[in-house]
Amino acid sequence: MLLLLYICFKKVHKLEGHENEVKSCAYSVSGRFLATASRDKSVWVWQVDEDEDFDVCSILQGHTADVKFVVWHPTDDILVSGGYDCSIHFYCFDGDDFVTIQKIEAAHDSTVWSAAFDHSGKYLVTVGADKFLKIWQQKWAESLQERSWAKLLELELDTRWPLYAVDWNHLTGHIAVSGGDGKVRIFNFDFDSESLTKSGSFTVEDEVNSLRWHPTIPQLLSVSCDDGFIHLLTHDC
């Protein structure tokens, strides 16, 4: 039996400023900031005040092509963006504005489509049109502006299609990745040895655009596809 739950929403704000399609948006873990990314090559950060009003905090224009995603660090107000220019950018709040703390040129050989942090924020995984999965390790510093990331490992997947989506399970450490071939691959990252091993795979009917692990049910993964369906998958972790 299919149970449909209807929840009533109403529009409370309409944020304007981007000159082209907005491709991604994400709230910071603190809830103080909303980041948006656009085909106009910019990343905007909006600050949320106590009355739930949104003011433009920063307009970041370091990318030279479409920005495909923004993702926040799980514990700090550190923002990451990536896109068509093959680079990933890291930003942090300096008290007045968001500033770029690191720019990794040619992070992938083609479009960087998606990224996700592990539960601690020490590691970042990225995937791209070059069919590579890459993990970046944080070089910790007390000051957010002095932190940086370096490539820890990379793995070329056995596919001729781009990788569009990746998510890191904060409960189990598993990484799910998929893309144009409709195959969802599950990897296990060993935090002690800092190594990556494949632990399973699923095949869905069409190209995968996005996937997300459930935040409290460790085995449940939702996958959105070009066939118009949302596939709910379970993995024996």
Side-chain angles (χ1 to χ4, degrees):
M1 181 178 67
L2 178 64
L3 176 64
L4 297 179
L5 177 64
Y6 292 93
I7 302 175
C8 181
F9 286 92
K10 64 178 181 178
K11 184 170 71 175
V12 293
H13 291 290
K14 181 180 179 180
L15 307 180
E16 300 183 33
H18 284 291
E19 298 176 356
N20 213 314
E21 297 172 27
V22 180
K23 306 301 292 185
S24 178
C25 63
Y27 277 103
S28 66
V29 66
S30 67
R32 295 175 58 202
F33 303 105
L34 172 68
T36 57
S38 171
R39 287 190 64 187
D40 64 12
K41 307 175 187 178
S42 71
V43 173
W44 289 45
V45 183
W46 312 76
Q47 189 161 11
V48 188
D49 65 21
E50 295 178 354
D51 297 321
E52 295 298 312
D53 289 325
F54 292 77
D55 294 316
V56 177
C57 176
S58 303
I59 300 175
L60 304 163
Q61 297 178 304
H63 283 283
T64 59
D66 301 8
V67 188
K68 303 306 296 182
F69 70 85
V70 282
V71 62
W72 290 92
H73 191 278
T75 61
D76 297 310
D77 285 331
I78 294 175
L79 177 66
V80 181
S81 63
Y84 275 9
D85 63 5
C86 310
S87 69
I88 51 177
H89 296 215
F90 296 81
Y91 319 91
C92 78
F93 189 57
D94 67 359
D96 297 311
D97 208 351
F98 272 82
V99 296
T100 302
I101 58 176
Q102 187 180 10
K103 179 179 178 180
I104 301 178
E105 301 277 9
H108 284 260
D109 291 336
S110 190
T111 303
V112 189
W113 279 104
S114 184
F117 281 102
D118 79 302
H119 72 284
S120 69
K122 182 179 179 181
Y123 303 97
L124 176 76
V125 60
T126 60
V127 295
D130 59 1
K131 300 98 175 174
F132 272 87
L133 178 157
K134 300 188 180 186
I135 293 181
W136 310 83
Q137 183 178 24
Q138 177 185 250
K139 294 183 178 179
W140 192 88
E142 186 171 350
S143 168
L144 296 185
Q145 294 185 54
E146 295 178 359
R147 294 190 193 179
S148 63
W149 278 258
K151 186 171 66 178
L152 174 67
L153 59 86
E154 65 180 24
L155 178 65
E156 184 176 12
L157 302 194
D158 182 20
T159 178
R160 63 186 182 92
W161 298 98
L163 301 175
Y164 293 133
V166 67
D167 198 30
W168 206 317
N169 192 319
H170 286 189
L171 300 176
T172 67
H174 284 80
I175 297 170
V177 58
S178 192
D181 64 359
K183 188 174 183 179
V184 181
R185 300 163 177 85
I186 309 296
F187 295 90
N188 180 55
F189 183 74
D190 188 304
F191 290 93
D192 294 326
S193 64
E194 295 184 327
S195 61
L196 193 67
T197 56
K198 189 174 181 180
S199 64
S201 65
F202 304 91
T203 299
V204 291
E205 297 299 322
D206 214 330
E207 188 171 293
V208 174
N209 299 304
S210 178
L211 48 76
R212 288 291 183 270
W213 290 104
H214 193 284
T216 60
I217 304 173
Q219 298 87 2
L220 187 59
L221 179 71
S222 62
V223 181
S224 63
C225 300
D226 272 9
D227 61 8
F229 289 97
I230 310 300
H231 300 262
L232 298 179
L233 309 177
T234 58
H235 175 59
D236 184 6
C237 298

